[in-house]
């Protein structure tokens, strides 16, 4: 019985985590991220934007220097970190 209870609890935790990761962004959130990225002279596909730690993460952002970056933004769409991809 304990094993069943532990497995059931793990299922709920895993399911809740997966749901939180896949939470859809609103049109306003998506546009806020896109506006910031465009302001940097860069582009990103909408499918590469997701919620991350109360803010946003934009993967595979392509900038004028032909570099590819991961860009992290806070909840107010301010860039907090820009990491060059290899």
């Amino acid at each position: 019985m304990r094993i069943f209870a532990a497995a059931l609890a793990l299922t709920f935790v895993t399911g809740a985590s997966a749901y939180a990761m896949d939470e859809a962004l609103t049109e306003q959130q998506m546009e806020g991220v896109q506006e910031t990225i465009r302001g940097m002279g860069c582009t990103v596909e909408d499918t590469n934007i997701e919620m991350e730690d109360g803010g946003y993460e934009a993967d595979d952002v392509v900038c004028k220097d032909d570099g590819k970056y991961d860009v992290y933004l806070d909840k107010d769409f301010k860039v907090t970190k820009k990491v060059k991809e290899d």
Side-chain angles (χ1 to χ4, degrees), residues 4-17:
F4 175 73
L8 185 61
L10 184 59
T11 300
F12 284 123
V13 170
T14 304
S17 296

Side-chain angles (χ1 to χ4, degrees), residues 36-49:
T36 299
I37 298 297
R38 284 191 301 268
M40 298 168 52
C42 305
T43 60
V44 65
E45 297 289 326
D46 286 347
T47 56
N48 290 338
I49 300 171

